[in-house]
Amino acid sequence: MNHTEQQRLTAVEKFKQLDTTISNDLNDIVSLVAEICGTPVALVTLIDNDMQWFKASVGTDVECTPRSVSFCDTTIMKQGLNIFEDLRAHPQHCNNPLVTGEPYVRFYAGAPLITKDGCAIGSLCVIDMQPRQLNAQQQKALQVMAKQVVNLMELNWSLSNLAHQRQKELQHAAAIAESELKLKAIFDSSNDTHLLVDRNYDILAFNKSAATFIKTVYRRKVALGDSLLDYTEPSKLNQFKKYFNIALSGRSIKREWMLMPGTEHACWKITNFIPVKNSAGEVIGVALNSTDITHHKKQEDYINIQNEALNRIAIIQSHELRRPVASLLGIMDLIKMEKVYFNYFDMMELTINELDEKIRGIVKDSENTLHGRHLAVVA
């Protein structure tokens, strides 16, 4: 048999745990074999590194023995039957404690249990406390039943392994379902619209926000398999296809655009076109993620209006308000040149200069506010 001891021991471990149904079947086999061979004892044994384990038995309550005293240890080294008609006369076993003492074994015949990959894991054997022989029919029955024992044990292992794999698959499926449920909850809780589209523009997945948007704008209930082109403005169709094809080429791209201008549903959106790849790295579709920026755009427009107003105020302050003050300052200079002095002259000059300084400060502050867009100061 072409295998290593470690491979044989690995095979033995596969069959140590047997289902009750298979154990009952094996017990039926050993009972039948004992009857056919006319022996008081019959066993199905498995031999690991140190022990011989009895997986089915008739005529004994012992569950295991050390491998060192096992007759089956020599059986697993052979292809055919291993028969000792009188163990006392065999030099290898005559001093075995099972021969020299209780239960005083005299006869042993065993057929190796050889798995389909060629590993001898144990034996089907019969034992007697008297020397004896097996006829040809009995020997053949022992060999045939040994093959059936292996078939049953391998069937049991296969069924157990399948059941274990099935359990793992069910657990894995449950874990995936739970993850998908959590992911869908997150997916649907987003205010952004998310769509997954294949290369032919067919919708593969969408979130609640996308469904609501389409229902509101197009008065239709979106469904898997719908063409996204049916929910694309004709005026934006060429642009949409352009960016979609860029994503299909493997490059993400972002587009800011106004949708449905002039209608009650007019809005600004930023749309990300993201390529979706399979495990082989091939682009199989595009994920479209859109964020509504209408409020931001309105704020931007409002800020622009404020800036324009501020600019006009700055111009008025700079020219309209300073003009009469400049005139007053010129008059004061003429009065000084003419050396005309009167009561309150100094107070008037001081007041005019203070007014000029205040206006200059206001103009400078307005210019700084306009440049820095600190609109709250003006407001």
Side-chain angles (χ1 to χ4, degrees):
M1 288 167 279
N2 186 23
H3 62 270
T4 65
E5 176 63 7
Q6 185 55 53
Q7 289 172 327
R8 194 194 69 79
L9 292 174
T10 300
V12 169
E13 288 300 317
K14 288 169 52 176
F15 303 109
K16 276 190 174 181
Q17 302 298 323
L18 300 175
D19 292 343
T20 302
T21 302
I22 299 298
S23 295
N24 291 338
D25 291 340
L26 294 181
N27 280 316
D28 289 341
I29 288 176
V30 294
S31 296
L32 179 60
V33 168
E35 184 177 343
I36 291 172
C37 295
T39 58
V41 178
L43 307 168
V44 169
T45 69
L46 293 179
I47 300 176
D48 65 14
N49 193 51
D50 302 307
M51 300 295 294
Q52 172 180 249
W53 302 93
F54 300 165
K55 305 309 294 182
S57 62
V58 61
T60 180
D61 294 326
V62 177
E63 295 183 354
C64 61
T65 63
R67 181 175 179 178
S68 58
V69 300
S70 169
F71 306 118
C72 295
D73 193 37
T74 59
T75 301
I76 63 174
M77 306 299 177
K78 297 185 176 184
Q79 290 280 3
L81 288 176
N82 186 30
I83 301 175
F84 302 113
E85 296 179 352
D86 188 348
L87 289 165
R88 289 177 303 179
H90 196 282
Q92 184 178 352
H93 297 293
C94 61
N95 294 320
N96 188 304
L98 298 178
V99 176
T100 60
E102 292 288 345
Y104 301 104
V105 178
R106 296 292 179 264
F107 172 78
Y108 170 88
L113 302 178
I114 302 175
T115 63
K116 61 183 179 181
D117 51 1
C119 291
I121 57 175
S123 77
L124 172 63
C125 63
V126 291
I127 293 173
D128 201 342
M129 301 344 143
Q130 302 294 328
R132 60 178 304 119
Q133 296 179 341
L134 294 182
N135 60 38
Q137 289 77 15
Q138 291 172 324
Q139 293 182 29
K140 183 177 180 180
L142 192 59
Q143 290 178 302
V144 170
M145 298 309 289
K147 291 180 181 179
Q148 295 306 313
V149 168
V150 174
N151 290 339
L152 283 172
M153 294 175 72
E154 289 192 326
L155 175 62
N156 175 75
W157 181 83
S158 296
L159 292 175
S160 297
N161 193 49
L162 286 173
H164 179 67
Q165 287 297 114
R166 177 59 177 165
Q167 184 63 28
K168 287 178 63 177
E169 289 172 1
L170 290 174
Q171 292 173 351
H172 184 59
I176 291 176
E178 183 179 359
S179 297
E180 288 179 345
L181 186 63
K182 291 178 180 178
L183 184 60
K184 181 173 175 56
I186 297 172
F187 194 52
D188 282 339
S189 66
S190 174
N191 291 325
D192 296 342
T193 60
H194 299 286
L195 290 155
L196 179 61
V197 184
D198 69 12
R199 298 183 68 91
N200 298 317
Y201 303 104
D202 292 338
I203 297 173
L204 302 178
F206 56 88
N207 71 340
K208 186 176 180 180
S209 292
T212 300
F213 179 79
I214 291 173
K215 178 70 174 178
T216 301
V217 174
Y218 295 95
R219 309 297 185 196
R220 288 176 57 183
K221 184 177 180 181
V222 64
L224 299 181
D226 285 356
S227 175
L228 187 59
L229 299 182
D230 293 339
Y231 307 119
T232 304
E233 291 180 60
S235 62
K236 299 289 191 301
L237 193 58
N238 289 335
Q239 294 181 63
F240 174 81
K241 288 183 176 181
K242 173 184 174 182
Y243 290 105
F244 192 89
N245 288 329
I246 290 174
L248 286 180
S249 72
R251 182 163 61 93
S252 295
I253 191 167
K254 182 187 294 185
R255 175 75 163 99
E256 180 180 305
W257 46 13
M258 185 179 192
L259 304 179
M260 297 159 293
T263 71
E264 61 177 318
H265 303 300
C267 61
W268 280 91
K269 284 184 178 288
I270 290 180
T271 302
N272 289 285
F273 295 75
I274 304 170
V276 177
K277 301 179 180 180
N278 60 16
S279 58
E282 301 169 334
V283 178
I284 58 173
V286 176
L288 296 106
N289 307 320
S290 295
T291 302
D292 193 309
I293 57 169
T294 305
H295 179 69
H296 172 74
K297 281 291 185 179
K298 288 181 178 179
Q299 285 186 317
E300 195 175 82
D301 291 341
Y302 178 66
I303 290 172
N304 290 333
I305 292 172
Q306 284 187 315
N307 284 340
E308 291 176 4
L310 181 61
N311 192 41
R312 289 195 299 272
I313 291 172
I315 292 172
I316 291 171
Q317 290 172 339
S318 178
H319 299 286
E320 302 298 328
L321 293 181
R322 291 199 70 243
R323 186 183 304 146
V325 174
S327 297
L328 288 173
L329 287 172
I331 292 171
M332 293 302 296
D333 287 339
L334 289 174
I335 291 174
K336 284 182 181 181
M337 290 175 63
E338 295 294 331
K339 297 182 180 181
V340 177
Y341 295 97
F342 51 87
N343 291 337
Y344 309 112
F345 177 84
D346 292 338
M347 182 181 295
M348 181 182 294
E349 184 179 28
L350 178 63
T351 301
I352 292 172
N353 285 329
E354 285 181 352
L355 180 60
D356 182 56
E357 183 179 352
K358 290 289 186 182
I359 291 174
R360 287 177 182 274
I362 291 171
V363 171
K364 182 179 181 181
D365 183 64
S366 297
E367 291 174 347
N368 290 338
T369 302
L370 180 61
H371 179 72
R373 294 195 176 187
H374 299 145
L375 301 178
V377 176
V378 176

